[in-house]
Amino acid sequence: MVNFYSAVWSFLLLSSSVWGYANPGACSGTCVNTHDPSIIRRSDGTYFRFSTGGKIAVHTAPDITGPWTYKGAALPSGSSINLGGNQDLWAPEVALIGNTYYLYYSVSTFGVQDSAIGVATSSSLDVGTWTDLGSTGIRSSSGKAYNAIDPNLINVNGAYYLTFGSFWKDIHQVSMKSPPKTVASDSTAYQVAYDSVKTDEEGAFIFKHGNYYYLFYSKGQCCGYDSNKPAAGGEYKIMVCRSTSATGGFVDASGKACTNSGGTVVLESHGNLYGPGGQGVYDDPTHGPILYYHYVNTNIGYADGQKQFGWNTIDFSSGWPVV
Protein backbone atom coordinates (compact mmCIF):
# COMPACT_ATOMS: atom_id res chain seq x y z
CA MET A 1 0.00 0.00 0.00
CA VAL A 2 2.85 2.35 0.82
CA ASN A 3 4.38 1.64 -2.60
CA PHE A 4 1.00 2.36 -4.22
CA TYR A 5 0.72 5.80 -2.59
CA SER A 6 4.35 6.54 -3.42
CA ALA A 7 3.65 5.69 -7.04
CA VAL A 8 0.55 7.91 -7.09
CA TRP A 9 2.46 10.81 -5.54
CA SER A 10 5.31 10.41 -8.03
CA PHE A 11 2.77 10.44 -10.85
CA LEU A 12 1.16 13.62 -9.55
CA LEU A 13 4.53 15.32 -9.28
CA LEU A 14 5.40 14.24 -12.82
CA SER A 15 2.02 15.41 -14.11
CA SER A 16 2.56 18.80 -12.49
CA SER A 17 5.92 19.23 -14.18
CA VAL A 18 4.56 18.06 -17.55
CA TRP A 19 1.38 20.14 -17.58
CA GLY A 20 2.63 23.17 -15.64
CA TYR A 21 4.71 26.08 -16.92
CA ALA A 22 8.46 26.30 -16.51
CA ASN A 23 9.73 29.20 -14.44
CA PRO A 24 11.56 31.98 -16.32
CA GLY A 25 15.20 31.38 -17.23
CA ALA A 26 18.03 32.99 -15.30
CA CYS A 27 18.45 36.77 -15.46
CA SER A 28 21.20 38.87 -13.88
CA GLY A 29 22.08 42.55 -13.95
CA THR A 30 19.26 44.98 -14.75
CA CYS A 31 16.25 42.71 -15.11
CA VAL A 32 13.67 45.48 -14.63
CA ASN A 33 12.97 48.46 -16.93
CA THR A 34 11.84 45.87 -19.43
CA HIS A 35 8.23 46.54 -20.52
CA ASP A 36 7.55 45.22 -24.06
CA PRO A 37 11.11 43.96 -24.67
CA SER A 38 12.65 43.43 -28.10
CA ILE A 39 15.76 41.23 -28.26
CA ILE A 40 18.37 41.08 -31.00
CA ARG A 41 21.90 39.65 -31.07
CA ARG A 42 24.68 41.46 -32.91
CA SER A 43 27.26 39.53 -34.97
CA ASP A 44 29.88 40.04 -32.22
CA GLY A 45 27.65 38.09 -29.80
CA THR A 46 26.32 41.08 -27.86
CA TYR A 47 22.63 40.90 -26.95
CA PHE A 48 20.61 44.11 -27.09
CA ARG A 49 17.32 44.60 -25.27
CA PHE A 50 15.07 47.52 -26.24
CA SER A 51 12.02 48.36 -24.13
CA THR A 52 9.15 50.81 -23.60
CA GLY A 53 9.87 54.05 -21.76
CA GLY A 54 12.94 56.22 -21.30
CA LYS A 55 12.75 57.15 -25.00
CA ILE A 56 13.35 53.45 -25.72
CA ALA A 57 15.66 52.09 -23.03
CA VAL A 58 18.62 50.08 -24.31
CA HIS A 59 20.38 47.33 -22.34
CA THR A 60 23.15 44.96 -23.45
CA ALA A 61 24.46 41.60 -22.24
CA PRO A 62 26.87 38.89 -23.35
CA ASP A 63 24.12 36.25 -23.07
CA ILE A 64 20.32 36.12 -22.84
CA THR A 65 20.81 35.37 -19.13
CA GLY A 66 22.74 38.62 -18.59
CA PRO A 67 24.28 40.41 -16.91
CA TRP A 68 22.15 43.16 -18.48
CA THR A 69 23.60 46.69 -18.38
CA TYR A 70 21.70 49.91 -19.12
CA LYS A 71 23.30 51.91 -21.96
CA GLY A 72 20.89 54.83 -22.41
CA ALA A 73 18.08 55.95 -24.71
CA ALA A 74 17.87 54.90 -28.35
CA LEU A 75 16.08 58.17 -29.26
CA PRO A 76 17.13 60.72 -26.59
CA SER A 77 15.28 63.54 -28.38
CA GLY A 78 12.10 61.50 -28.71
CA SER A 79 10.25 61.15 -31.99
CA SER A 80 9.76 63.76 -34.71
CA ILE A 81 6.14 62.59 -35.09
CA ASN A 82 3.89 65.43 -33.95
CA LEU A 83 1.60 63.52 -31.60
CA GLY A 84 1.07 63.28 -27.87
CA GLY A 85 3.43 60.67 -26.47
CA ASN A 86 6.34 61.49 -28.77
CA GLN A 87 8.61 61.77 -25.72
CA ASP A 88 7.41 58.49 -24.17
CA LEU A 89 7.83 55.88 -26.88
CA TRP A 90 6.35 52.39 -26.67
CA ALA A 91 6.77 48.81 -27.80
CA PRO A 92 10.03 48.80 -29.78
CA GLU A 93 10.69 46.22 -32.48
CA VAL A 94 14.23 45.80 -33.83
CA ALA A 95 15.15 43.99 -37.05
CA LEU A 96 18.24 43.66 -39.23
CA ILE A 97 17.63 44.35 -42.93
CA GLY A 98 20.79 43.97 -45.01
CA ASN A 99 23.45 45.88 -43.08
CA THR A 100 20.99 48.25 -41.39
CA TYR A 101 19.09 47.85 -38.13
CA TYR A 102 15.50 49.12 -38.06
CA LEU A 103 13.85 50.23 -34.82
CA TYR A 104 10.05 50.50 -35.03
CA TYR A 105 8.23 52.23 -32.18
CA SER A 106 4.78 53.51 -31.14
CA VAL A 107 3.77 57.10 -30.46
CA SER A 108 0.57 57.20 -28.43
CA THR A 109 -0.92 57.88 -25.02
CA PHE A 110 -2.68 55.31 -22.87
CA GLY A 111 -6.30 54.65 -23.83
CA VAL A 112 -6.17 56.95 -26.89
CA GLN A 113 -6.52 55.85 -30.50
CA ASP A 114 -4.61 58.85 -31.93
CA SER A 115 -1.40 56.91 -32.56
CA ALA A 116 1.38 56.38 -35.10
CA ILE A 117 4.21 53.95 -35.77
CA GLY A 118 7.64 55.44 -36.40
CA VAL A 119 11.00 54.02 -37.44
CA ALA A 120 14.67 54.79 -36.84
CA THR A 121 17.82 53.22 -38.32
CA SER A 122 21.35 52.41 -37.16
CA SER A 123 24.35 50.58 -38.56
CA SER A 124 25.44 49.20 -35.17
CA LEU A 125 22.56 49.15 -32.60
CA ASP A 126 24.64 51.29 -30.23
CA VAL A 127 23.20 54.20 -28.28
CA GLY A 128 24.03 57.45 -30.08
CA THR A 129 23.87 55.95 -33.57
CA TRP A 130 20.11 55.95 -34.21
CA THR A 131 18.59 58.28 -36.82
CA ASP A 132 14.86 58.93 -36.45
CA LEU A 133 13.04 58.75 -39.80
CA GLY A 134 9.66 59.67 -38.33
CA SER A 135 6.39 58.07 -39.41
CA THR A 136 6.06 54.86 -41.41
CA GLY A 137 2.72 56.13 -42.66
CA ILE A 138 0.81 53.89 -40.25
CA ARG A 139 -1.47 56.25 -38.35
CA SER A 140 -4.74 55.85 -36.49
CA SER A 141 -7.35 58.24 -35.16
CA SER A 142 -10.78 58.02 -33.57
CA GLY A 143 -13.15 55.99 -35.73
CA LYS A 144 -10.51 53.92 -37.53
CA ALA A 145 -10.69 50.14 -37.38
CA TYR A 146 -7.32 49.80 -35.64
CA ASN A 147 -4.85 51.42 -33.27
CA ALA A 148 -1.36 52.09 -34.64
CA ILE A 149 0.80 50.64 -31.86
CA ASP A 150 2.88 47.51 -31.13
CA PRO A 151 4.68 47.02 -34.48
CA ASN A 152 6.28 43.76 -35.59
CA LEU A 153 8.11 43.27 -38.89
CA ILE A 154 8.42 40.00 -40.78
CA ASN A 155 10.42 39.37 -43.95
CA VAL A 156 8.89 36.73 -46.24
CA ASN A 157 11.34 36.06 -49.09
CA GLY A 158 12.08 39.76 -49.49
CA ALA A 159 8.47 40.94 -48.99
CA TYR A 160 7.97 42.91 -45.77
CA TYR A 161 4.86 42.99 -43.60
CA LEU A 162 4.23 45.00 -40.45
CA THR A 163 1.76 43.53 -37.96
CA PHE A 164 0.34 45.87 -35.33
CA GLY A 165 -2.71 46.94 -33.32
CA SER A 166 -4.45 46.81 -29.97
CA PHE A 167 -7.89 47.09 -28.40
CA TRP A 168 -9.55 48.77 -31.39
CA LYS A 169 -10.44 45.74 -33.53
CA ASP A 170 -7.25 44.07 -32.29
CA ILE A 171 -4.45 43.02 -34.67
CA HIS A 172 -3.91 44.16 -38.27
CA GLN A 173 -1.21 43.94 -40.94
CA VAL A 174 0.07 46.02 -43.87
CA SER A 175 2.62 45.53 -46.63
CA MET A 176 5.77 47.64 -46.45
CA LYS A 177 8.03 49.01 -49.15
CA SER A 178 11.55 47.60 -49.61
CA PRO A 179 13.51 48.71 -47.65
CA PRO A 180 10.70 48.78 -45.04
CA LYS A 181 10.72 52.44 -44.03
CA THR A 182 7.14 53.22 -45.09
CA VAL A 183 3.90 51.47 -46.00
CA ALA A 184 3.60 50.19 -49.57
CA SER A 185 1.59 52.66 -51.61
CA ASP A 186 -1.06 50.10 -52.59
CA SER A 187 -1.43 48.48 -49.14
CA THR A 188 -4.54 48.65 -46.96
CA ALA A 189 -4.55 47.37 -43.38
CA TYR A 190 -6.33 44.02 -42.96
CA GLN A 191 -7.26 42.13 -39.81
CA VAL A 192 -5.37 38.98 -38.74
CA ALA A 193 -6.70 38.48 -35.18
CA TYR A 194 -9.88 39.63 -33.44
CA ASP A 195 -11.88 38.64 -30.37
CA SER A 196 -15.44 39.78 -30.99
CA VAL A 197 -16.41 39.18 -27.35
CA LYS A 198 -13.62 41.11 -25.66
CA THR A 199 -11.31 43.17 -27.86
CA ASP A 200 -8.21 43.02 -25.72
CA GLU A 201 -5.54 41.58 -28.02
CA GLU A 202 -2.29 43.38 -28.88
CA GLY A 203 1.48 43.02 -29.11
CA ALA A 204 1.63 40.73 -32.15
CA PHE A 205 4.82 38.85 -33.02
CA ILE A 206 5.07 36.48 -36.00
CA PHE A 207 7.73 33.74 -35.92
CA LYS A 208 8.31 31.07 -38.58
CA HIS A 209 9.14 27.56 -37.43
CA GLY A 210 9.01 24.59 -39.76
CA ASN A 211 6.10 24.98 -42.18
CA TYR A 212 4.13 27.38 -39.99
CA TYR A 213 4.02 31.03 -39.14
CA TYR A 214 3.08 31.42 -35.49
CA LEU A 215 1.21 34.57 -34.47
CA PHE A 216 2.00 35.24 -30.80
CA TYR A 217 0.09 38.02 -29.06
CA SER A 218 -0.80 39.37 -25.62
CA LYS A 219 -4.36 39.27 -24.32
CA GLY A 220 -5.88 40.98 -21.27
CA GLN A 221 -4.99 43.96 -19.06
CA CYS A 222 -1.35 44.93 -19.44
CA CYS A 223 -0.71 47.50 -16.79
CA GLY A 224 -1.61 49.26 -13.57
CA TYR A 225 -1.83 46.10 -11.47
CA ASP A 226 -0.78 47.96 -8.33
CA SER A 227 -3.77 50.33 -8.52
CA ASN A 228 -6.32 48.43 -10.63
CA LYS A 229 -5.78 44.69 -10.47
CA PRO A 230 -8.20 42.84 -12.76
CA ALA A 231 -10.34 39.86 -11.81
CA ALA A 232 -8.43 36.56 -11.86
CA GLY A 233 -7.61 35.66 -15.47
CA GLY A 234 -8.12 39.21 -16.72
CA GLU A 235 -4.41 40.03 -16.61
CA TYR A 236 -2.00 39.68 -19.54
CA LYS A 237 -1.35 36.22 -20.96
CA ILE A 238 0.47 35.08 -24.08
CA MET A 239 -1.59 33.47 -26.85
CA VAL A 240 -0.84 31.91 -30.23
CA CYS A 241 -2.43 30.96 -33.55
CA ARG A 242 -0.67 29.55 -36.60
CA SER A 243 -0.92 29.53 -40.40
CA THR A 244 1.05 28.33 -43.41
CA SER A 245 0.95 31.98 -44.56
CA ALA A 246 2.39 35.03 -42.77
CA THR A 247 -0.49 37.17 -44.00
CA GLY A 248 -3.57 35.44 -42.63
CA GLY A 249 -5.54 32.27 -42.09
CA PHE A 250 -4.31 31.93 -38.49
CA VAL A 251 -6.12 29.33 -36.38
CA ASP A 252 -5.71 28.01 -32.84
CA ALA A 253 -5.02 24.42 -31.71
CA SER A 254 -8.73 23.57 -31.98
CA GLY A 255 -8.93 24.92 -35.52
CA LYS A 256 -10.84 28.09 -34.58
CA ALA A 257 -9.96 31.18 -36.61
CA CYS A 258 -7.89 33.82 -34.84
CA THR A 259 -10.16 36.42 -36.47
CA ASN A 260 -13.16 34.77 -34.78
CA SER A 261 -12.08 34.79 -31.11
CA GLY A 262 -9.68 31.85 -31.54
CA GLY A 263 -6.41 31.58 -29.62
CA THR A 264 -4.42 29.02 -27.63
CA VAL A 265 -2.70 29.94 -24.36
CA VAL A 266 1.10 29.71 -24.42
CA LEU A 267 1.93 31.25 -21.03
CA GLU A 268 -0.21 32.71 -18.25
CA SER A 269 0.08 33.58 -14.57
CA HIS A 270 1.46 30.80 -12.39
CA GLY A 271 3.24 30.67 -9.05
CA ASN A 272 4.74 34.10 -8.38
CA LEU A 273 4.75 34.99 -12.10
CA TYR A 274 1.84 37.29 -12.97
CA GLY A 275 0.64 38.90 -16.20
CA PRO A 276 3.28 37.76 -18.74
CA GLY A 277 3.12 39.58 -22.08
CA GLY A 278 4.72 42.08 -24.45
CA GLN A 279 6.44 39.04 -25.92
CA GLY A 280 8.75 38.21 -28.77
CA VAL A 281 10.48 35.07 -30.05
CA TYR A 282 14.16 34.66 -30.86
CA ASP A 283 16.05 31.68 -32.25
CA ASP A 284 18.97 31.71 -29.85
CA PRO A 285 22.25 30.06 -30.97
CA THR A 286 22.68 28.43 -27.53
CA HIS A 287 19.17 27.75 -26.28
CA GLY A 288 17.22 27.38 -29.53
CA PRO A 289 13.84 29.15 -29.93
CA ILE A 290 13.02 31.22 -26.86
CA LEU A 291 9.94 33.15 -25.81
CA TYR A 292 10.86 36.41 -24.07
CA TYR A 293 8.46 38.77 -22.29
CA HIS A 294 7.87 41.01 -19.29
CA TYR A 295 6.08 39.90 -16.15
CA VAL A 296 5.33 40.85 -12.56
CA ASN A 297 7.03 38.90 -9.78
CA THR A 298 4.42 38.99 -7.03
CA ASN A 299 7.16 38.63 -4.40
CA ILE A 300 8.66 41.93 -5.60
CA GLY A 301 5.69 44.14 -6.55
CA TYR A 302 2.93 44.86 -9.06
CA ALA A 303 3.99 48.33 -10.27
CA ASP A 304 4.72 48.84 -13.96
CA GLY A 305 8.26 49.93 -13.12
CA GLN A 306 8.86 46.63 -11.33
CA LYS A 307 8.17 44.41 -14.34
CA GLN A 308 10.85 41.77 -14.83
CA PHE A 309 12.49 40.34 -17.94
CA GLY A 310 11.49 36.72 -18.52
CA TRP A 311 12.41 34.07 -21.06
CA ASN A 312 11.76 30.37 -21.63
CA THR A 313 12.84 27.85 -24.22
CA ILE A 314 10.05 26.73 -26.58
CA ASP A 315 9.27 23.13 -27.54
CA PHE A 316 7.60 22.95 -30.96
CA SER A 317 7.60 19.13 -31.17
CA SER A 318 3.81 18.92 -30.97
CA GLY A 319 3.39 21.53 -33.70
CA TRP A 320 2.41 24.08 -31.06
CA PRO A 321 4.73 26.14 -28.84
CA VAL A 322 5.08 24.82 -25.28
CA VAL A 323 7.20 26.51 -22.59
Side-chain angles (χ1 to χ4, degrees), residues 108-161:
S108 188
T109 54
F110 197 78
V112 172
Q113 198 180 358
D114 196 13
S115 312
I117 293 172
V119 64
T121 56
S122 167
S123 60
S124 70
L125 291 171
D126 291 318
V127 167
T129 67
W130 290 96
T131 299
D132 182 31
L133 305 182
S135 178
T136 59
I138 303 173
R139 174 80 183 267
S140 61
S141 57
S142 180
K144 279 205 171 183
Y146 55 81
N147 192 19
I149 68 168
D150 293 358
N152 169 246
L153 184 76
I154 188 166
N155 178 357
V156 183
N157 301 319
Y160 298 99
Y161 302 92

Side-chain angles (χ1 to χ4, degrees), residues 198 200 219-222 225 230-237 274:
K198 189 174 183 182
D200 59 354
K219 184 177 179 65
Q221 181 179 320
C222 71
Y225 299 145
E235 72 278 8
Y236 247 14
K237 60 179 70 67
Y274 182 83

Side-chain angles (χ1 to χ4, degrees), residues 1 5 7 13 16 21 61 97 99-100 108 126 152 191 205-206 213 236-237 247 264-265 271 273 286 298 309 322:
M1 184 64 71
Y5 283 119
L13 287 175
S16 176
Y21 297 108
I97 307 297
N99 295 318
T100 301
S108 188
D126 291 318
N152 169 246
Q191 199 172 62
F205 192 100
I206 296 178
Y213 293 90
Y236 247 14
K237 60 179 70 67
T247 60
T264 297
V265 177
L273 182 149
T286 301
T298 59
F309 175 64
V322 177

Side-chain angles (χ1 to χ4, degrees), residues 243-296:
S243 174
T244 54
S245 169
T247 60
F250 294 98
V251 299
D252 67 13
S254 71
K256 191 172 186 179
C258 215
T259 50
N260 186 30
S261 307
T264 297
V265 177
V266 178
L267 183 65
E268 59 192 333
S269 298
H270 64 96
N272 63 350
L273 182 149
Y274 182 83
Q279 75 296 314
V281 181
Y282 173 63
D283 198 358
D284 188 84
T286 301
H287 304 283
I290 62 171
L291 176 73
Y292 61 84
Y293 50 90
H294 69 246
Y295 71 97
V296 159

